[in-house]
Amino acid sequence: DELFSKAFMTSHNISVSGGNNKTTYAFSGGFLDQDGIALGSSFRRLSLRANVDTEIKSWLRGGVNFSFAESKQNVGTDNNTIMSALIQQPTVAVTSPDGSFDGPDDVWMPENPVGLASIRTNNNRKTNFRFNTYLEATLLKGLTFKTEVSADWNFNNYYYYQPDYQFGIKTSDTRTSKWTKTNTKYWSWRNILTYNNTFAEKHNINVMVGQEMSQSNWETQVGTATGFLSNTTPDLSAGDITTSTTTGSRVVNSIASFFGRAFYSFDERYLLTATIRRDGSSKFAKGNKWGWFPAVALAWRASQESFLQNNEIINNLKLRAGVGQTGNAGNLTGINTYYKVSQGAFAPNGSLVNGMAISKLGNDKLKWETLTDYNFGIDFGFFNNRLSGSVDLYQRLRKDVI
């Protein structure tokens, strides 16, 4: 009963939308404030969203949308605290007569769970921002060009501080502070040129060429400090520098792609699709960064043939076959391809000194994993599609498995 109680939650939302035959817009915002049922827990979130799409010229359209969210979560009571409450001595009160937190008289029993949940700081703050904008131009009849930029940023800050305490005979003289910061940033830029047209009412072609580049940046920092002179200043800089520790890492990956696709259909009966991609990844060493990945697919819509048109039983019958390749860069990072260097202590002359040394050998022979897929399928529909389905035969082969 001391760890859990009824909790209140309030949620507020507002939205505005509208537009005309050229421009549409939508804006919204929300605020959530939720008290947790567990002691010391709560959650707050502020969110904003906007979306605008407009016709700039008769041949040019553009749009932008973004979202923003910021939240803070307090975690006073965790699983360990709940377990401590379940196995605690039943004779231990929450507080002593003098108002301080009570504790067990057995060193093998856990600390006062209510006391721990009340005195320590344990919260997580997150900020997320997403952005997307585009321009689409009709250059000629059937010819369009679209450029699109996107970004996704996430900032996660975790703060933990546990002061010294004395609960019965259970004491801790250590004041511990830990900060963890993890940031991820992603952006991409895509350009696509598309041509679509129909000739002589039976020949339809759709040709697309494009280019895309993207980069993801992940970094984390963890700092831990002890030896604080008081509980009033839990900043890491206020701890004992001789016992504090810091770690961190950063991973940056980028991909560049060029691609094209051509589609042709004759009288909606015979269909041909061919695609080609050339992808390059910073995850691989020089000479292995780029890979070619083609694909081709054929289809015959037999139900469009004269001998099956107006058939009372078969109203849809399509046979298709295809083969194609895709590339997989896996979850590799730079340390898989290049050497990893780490800090350490060495004694070259009998005296201990700090230095750097190779801690992991890389493999500069790594390259794109190629997945080749073979597919044959039949789509069917009988009795005005009352009975319909698909049957597929599928095989995948892997080469240069990562």
Side-chain angles (χ1 to χ4, degrees):
D1 293 340
E2 296 291 341
L3 280 178
F4 300 97
S5 62
K6 295 181 179 180
F8 291 96
M9 180 185 73
T10 59
S11 179
H12 309 275
N13 296 280
I14 186 173
S15 63
V16 177
S17 62
N20 51 38
N21 58 345
K22 290 188 175 182
T23 302
T24 59
Y25 61 86
F27 302 95
S28 63
F31 178 73
L32 174 67
D33 187 359
Q34 181 177 4
D35 294 330
I37 62 173
L39 179 64
S41 62
S42 63
F43 180 77
R44 289 186 178 184
R45 182 182 63 221
L46 171 67
S47 59
L48 302 172
R49 185 181 297 272
N51 189 354
V52 178
D53 192 271
T54 185
E55 181 183 291
I56 304 171
K57 297 287 186 179
S58 60
W59 53 273
L60 180 64
R61 293 195 63 86
V64 59
N65 66 77
F66 81 91
S67 65
F68 171 84
E70 187 175 52
S71 64
K72 178 181 179 182
Q73 181 181 17
N74 290 312
V75 184
T77 302
D78 56 18
N79 292 335
N80 292 331
T81 308
I82 297 173
M83 182 58 66
S84 297
L86 294 175
I87 63 177
Q88 185 57 263
Q89 288 177 327
T91 57
V92 176
V94 175
T95 57
S96 301
D98 61 359
S100 62
F101 289 107
D102 196 9
D105 56 10
D106 185 348
V107 71
W108 299 107
M109 297 303 296
E111 291 85 350
N112 185 331
V114 176
L116 285 179
S118 301
I119 66 174
R120 67 184 174 191
T121 300
N122 187 4
N123 63 66
N124 193 15
R125 300 183 181 184
K126 296 182 179 181
T127 302
N128 170 261
F129 177 76
R130 293 180 179 178
F131 172 83
N132 175 272
T133 185
Y134 80 93
L135 285 174
E136 186 173 13
T138 302
L139 305 179
L140 298 170
K141 182 181 178 180
L143 182 64
T144 61
F145 173 76
K146 183 177 182 179
T147 182
E148 184 176 7
V149 176
S150 301
D152 189 352
W153 297 338
N154 293 276
F155 306 95
N156 191 351
N157 298 322
Y158 169 75
Y159 302 96
Y160 177 87
Y161 180 76
Q162 181 164 298
D164 57 339
Y165 60 84
Q166 180 175 359
F167 303 149
I169 65 170
K170 300 286 288 189
T171 61
S172 174
D173 298 328
T174 303
R175 302 181 178 118
T176 303
S177 181
K178 181 179 180 179
W179 292 8
T180 303
K181 296 188 177 182
T182 303
N183 299 333
T184 59
K185 300 177 182 178
Y186 172 84
W187 64 264
S188 67
W189 182 24
R190 176 183 297 182
N191 298 288
I192 295 178
L193 184 67
T194 305
Y195 178 73
N196 184 57
N197 208 341
T198 301
F199 302 93
E201 298 183 353
K202 291 187 177 183
H203 303 274
N204 175 254
I205 62 171
N206 184 289
V207 179
M208 180 271 290
V209 292
Q211 168 270 336
E212 183 178 15
M213 61 180 69
S214 64
Q215 184 183 79
S216 59
N217 186 322
W218 178 89
E219 60 182 28
T220 182
Q221 295 177 342
V222 181
T224 304
T226 58
F228 294 88
L229 297 178
S230 69
N231 293 321
T232 58
T233 307
D235 292 353
L236 296 180
S237 58
D240 185 354
I241 61 174
T242 62
T243 59
S244 62
T245 61
T246 58
T247 61
S249 61
R250 183 187 182 195
V251 177
V252 179
N253 293 318
S254 57
I255 294 180
S257 302
F258 301 89
F259 46 88
R261 183 193 67 212
F263 170 79
Y264 170 76
S265 71
F266 173 73
D267 199 25
E268 297 185 354
R269 287 182 292 167
Y270 309 106
L271 312 166
L272 169 65
T273 304
T275 63
I276 185 71
R277 290 186 64 94
R278 181 159 173 80
D279 296 319
S281 173
S282 64
K283 295 181 178 181
F284 303 108
K286 184 178 180 180
N288 292 325
K289 292 183 180 294
W290 293 90
W292 288 99
F293 307 104
V296 63
L298 299 170
W300 175 39
R301 187 174 285 117
S303 55
Q304 292 294 103
E305 298 288 355
S306 58
F307 58 84
L308 282 180
Q309 286 185 349
N310 301 320
N311 189 288
E312 296 181 356
I313 299 176
I314 302 175
N315 56 279
N316 180 34
L317 182 61
K318 181 180 178 182
L319 284 73
R320 46 188 169 77
V323 57
Q325 292 183 333
T326 55
N328 175 34
N331 295 320
L332 299 179
T333 61
I335 63 175
N336 297 104
T337 307
Y338 306 101
Y339 297 110
K340 180 181 180 182
V341 179
S342 301
Q343 185 177 3
F346 307 90
N349 299 316
S351 300
L352 196 64
V353 296
N354 290 326
M356 307 293 289
I358 296 175
S359 60
K360 184 176 182 179
L361 296 176
N363 182 1
D364 58 3
K365 303 301 182 182
L366 289 174
K367 58 183 178 180
W368 284 92
E369 176 183 347
T370 302
L371 292 78
T372 304
D373 297 321
Y374 299 89
N375 176 266
F376 177 79
I378 300 175
D379 301 327
F380 57 86
F382 302 128
F383 308 109
N384 199 24
N385 281 329
R386 289 187 177 92
L387 175 62
S388 62
S390 298
V391 177
D392 283 273
L393 297 177
Y394 180 88
Q395 184 182 34
R396 166 169 289 182
L397 302 179
R398 294 176 180 267
K399 182 181 178 183
D400 302 319
V401 177
I402 296 178

